[in-house]
């Protein structure tokens, strides 16, 4: 059995999961970071509390905190149920049980909800959607995108993926995307077209192993750096 969603789900991860998914170092964290499709993750709230500078963009930020909470409430049971039916698709080392995943995610999302209003006032949560970001060129040092691009490959075309990654590369000098897998537990068919397009645009593009694996086999990020930079390669 595979996991299938009719739409992109609001489901949020924590700061420590972002650090793992993207191999974030202290140097990375001290830069200006944009999280694309951060949704109800607590990355921004926790990073801000630690003194880092993170801007999150997501179309769900058009909703009120109450509306987002309702949407999470409407969908989390379905997500957990799909995981229950596909337990062998996941690696149970970081999380010990499904209850542990559920509690960790709900805790992260509550942390996000508690921060949302203040973060909106401070311009840290922006209602915007890939592939159009309301920022000038090179406004950020690092653009991140987790559990949206590549993961929802059935819902989003190759053209969308290319336009989205190109836009992330316009507003930031480095781009990282995690995971490269789709919900069928294999590398997304969009990965190679995105790599080829961005390489042709002069970017250095590499699959980089990371110290994070929950969806079995999904333990690499895509890292895009300007071709003059020397980054870790695979
Ligand atoms: C599964 S959540 C992932 C949240 C977070 N990045 C994480 O890893 O925990 C996917 C998010 O993508 C957002 N999304 C959907 N369409 C988008 C678009 N065109 N541009 C940016 N984000 C989008 C959804 O609203 C949702 O919050």
């Amino acid at each position: 059995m595979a996991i299938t969603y009719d739409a992109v789900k609001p489901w949020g991860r924590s700061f420590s999961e972002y650090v793992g998914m993207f191999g974030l170092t202290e140097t990375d964290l001290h830069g200006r970071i944009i999280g694309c499709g951060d949704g109800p993750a607590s990355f921004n709230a926790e990073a801000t509390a630690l003194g880092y500078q993170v801007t999150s963009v997501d179309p769900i930020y058009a909703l009120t905190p109450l509306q987002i909470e309702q949407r999470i409430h409407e969908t989390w049971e379905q997500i957990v149920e799909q995981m229950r039916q596909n337990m062998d698709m996941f690696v149970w080392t970081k999380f010990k049980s499904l209850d542990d995943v559920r509690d960790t995610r709900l805790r992260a999302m509550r942390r996000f909800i508690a921060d949302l209003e203040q973060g909106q006032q401070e311009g840290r949560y922006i209602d915007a959607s890939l592939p159009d970001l309301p920022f000038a060129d090179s406004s950020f040092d690092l653009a991140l995108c987790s559990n949206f691009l590549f993961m929802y490959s059935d819902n989003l075309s190759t053209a969308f993926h290319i336009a989205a990654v190109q836009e992330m590369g316009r507003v930031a000098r480095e781009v990282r995307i995690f995971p490269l897998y789709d919900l069928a537990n294999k590398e997304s068919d969009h990965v190679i077209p995105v790599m080829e397009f961005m390489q042709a645009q002069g970017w250095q593009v590499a699959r980089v192993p990371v110290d994070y694996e929950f969806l079995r086999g999904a333990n690499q990020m895509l890292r895009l750096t300007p071709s003059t930079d020397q980054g870790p390669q695979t």
Side-chain angles (χ1 to χ4, degrees), residues 29-180:
L29 287 164
H30 277 97
R32 298 157 304 163
I33 296 178
I34 177 170
C36 301
D38 273 349
S42 60
F43 175 61
N44 191 319
E46 293 184 71
T48 302
L50 292 168
Y52 303 125
Q53 214 184 314
V54 175
T55 302
S56 298
V57 298
D58 197 295
I60 64 163
Y61 303 149
L63 305 178
T64 65
L66 187 63
Q67 288 170 322
I68 296 176
E69 214 169 351
Q70 277 166 349
R71 191 169 285 192
I72 292 166
H73 188 69
E74 284 160 13
T75 50
W76 74 260
E77 282 178 347
Q78 185 201 343
I79 295 173
V80 170
E81 186 47 38
Q82 291 243 25
M83 289 177 74
R84 190 186 309 284
Q85 292 173 23
N86 293 278
M87 292 292 279
D88 57 347
M89 274 179 65
F90 299 92
V91 176
W92 296 99
T93 46
K94 178 175 165 48
F95 297 108
K96 301 298 172 213
S97 66
L98 205 48
D99 287 353
D100 187 16
V101 181
R102 179 201 58 206
D103 293 347
T104 305
R105 297 275 188 268
L106 290 176
R107 208 167 33 245
M109 292 191 278
R110 275 196 288 271
R111 178 96 196 246
F112 155 77
I113 294 283
D115 182 54
L116 180 56
E117 225 163 271
Q118 187 177 344
Q120 280 173 326
Q121 284 162 18
E122 293 171 1
R124 289 188 285 111
Y125 294 108
I126 306 283
D127 163 25
S129 300
L130 288 169
D132 295 305
L133 300 175
F135 302 103
D137 295 359
S138 307
S139 299
F140 300 93
D141 299 302
L142 179 59
L144 306 176
C145 183
S146 57
N147 301 294
F148 172 54
L149 293 174
F150 300 137
M151 176 157 275
Y152 289 87
S153 284
D154 284 353
N155 308 57
L156 303 163
S157 67
T158 299
F160 176 88
H161 278 77
I162 288 174
V165 177
Q166 194 176 20
E167 180 70 346
M168 289 170 71
R170 181 187 68 76
V171 302
R173 53 179 305 279
E174 181 176 333
V175 176
R176 298 184 194 179
I177 302 165
F178 179 92
L180 308 189

